[in-house]
Amino acid sequence: MKEKNHLFSATGIPSLFLIFGVLMLVILSLLGYGTSRQDLRSSSLSLEQTSAYYNVCSEAADFYSELVQTLEGFQEQAKTETAYYQLVSDYLNSQENVEWNSEEHTAEYVKAFSDTQSLAVKIAVFWTDCTADSTASDNAASDNVVSDNAASDNVASDNASSDNAVSDTINAGLNMTSSNIAGILSWNTVVTADWNPDNSQSVYKGE
């Protein structure tokens, strides 16, 4: 009997510890594998979401640039404000993912980049009277000529008036800028789906 007990203690107990250790290693390996797969899936979804968002932002920026160029052409083509906004309305209503508000003179560009989110860009369209700007610049130029003739006796005053004429010419060329044609009012991410809670796990609601 003593020999059997000694044999069990020599071989049975270490075998039990070995089996227990192997089971623990297998369980920890499975847990680590499951966590890694979950992290990989979350990272992939985050990468896809981020890439889709920046692609939509790039498309929205291209749309804004094309809109500014188109509006510049409409400014030169239209003679009145009504005709200008009619051209703008016809153009924007023909574009995809764009909603034109004729009362507020705003265009809203909405493009979805996932099943639950969309990019919404609101742009205000302005009318600039080019005829009034050109008339004002002509009047300013004539005033500079008169001041140059009046200051012909003084060389220093002639140099100062010529400097003012140059600065007035540069400022007159900066009257027509992109910010005077179209301005971005908002650039937001909009949630397009309702919130659905996860009811897969039972929750204790009390007695």
Side-chain angles (χ1 to χ4, degrees):
M1 295 294 294
K2 292 182 179 180
E3 292 179 358
K4 291 182 180 180
N5 293 332
H6 180 70
L7 180 62
F8 175 77
S9 62
T11 58
I13 296 177
S15 299
L16 291 175
F17 278 107
L18 179 61
I19 295 172
F20 179 76
V22 171
L23 290 175
M24 292 297 297
L25 291 176
V26 171
I27 293 173
L28 292 176
S29 299
L30 293 175
L31 291 175
Y33 177 73
T35 304
S36 300
R37 284 180 59 87
Q38 185 177 0
D39 293 342
L40 178 61
R41 183 179 179 183
S42 300
S43 300
S44 299
L45 291 176
S46 178
L47 178 61
E48 293 177 359
Q49 191 84 356
T50 304
S51 300
Y53 173 75
Y54 282 110
N55 290 333
V56 171
C57 287
S58 178
E59 294 177 2
D62 294 338
F63 168 76
Y64 177 75
S65 300
E66 294 177 358
L67 178 62
V68 170
Q69 294 178 0
T70 305
L71 293 178
E72 289 177 352
F74 290 163
Q75 288 276 8
E76 297 176 357
Q77 181 180 355
K79 297 181 179 180
T80 61
E81 182 179 358
T82 303
Y84 169 74
Y85 280 116
Q86 183 62 41
L87 293 174
V88 175
S89 177
D90 295 339
Y91 172 75
L92 291 178
N93 288 328
S94 64
Q95 299 296 314
E96 296 182 357
N97 305 318
V98 179
E99 183 178 356
W100 167 250
N101 190 335
S102 58
E103 296 180 357
E104 298 180 357
H105 296 160
T106 57
E108 188 172 5
Y109 176 86
V110 180
K111 184 68 176 293
F113 59 91
S114 68
D115 296 336
T116 59
Q117 290 181 326
S118 299
L119 177 67
V121 180
K122 192 173 184 180
I123 303 172
V125 178
F126 307 109
W127 157 256
T128 302
D129 192 356
C130 301
T131 305
D133 294 338
S134 61
T135 304
S137 61
D138 293 339
N139 293 331
S142 62
D143 292 339
N144 291 329
V145 173
V146 173
S147 62
D148 290 339
N149 294 330
S152 59
D153 295 335
N154 193 340
V155 177
S157 62
D158 288 340
N159 293 330
S161 62
S162 63
D163 294 337
N164 292 330
V166 173
S167 62
D168 292 339
T169 303
I170 295 175
N171 292 330
L174 293 177
N175 288 334
M176 196 65 179
T177 58
S178 298
S179 60
N180 291 334
I181 298 178
I184 298 177
L185 300 179
S186 62
W187 188 294
N188 300 322
T189 301
V190 181
V191 179
T192 58
D194 296 333
W195 179 71
N196 296 320
D198 185 9
N199 297 325
S200 60
Q201 296 182 353
S202 59
V203 180
Y204 177 72
K205 299 181 179 180
E207 296 180 357

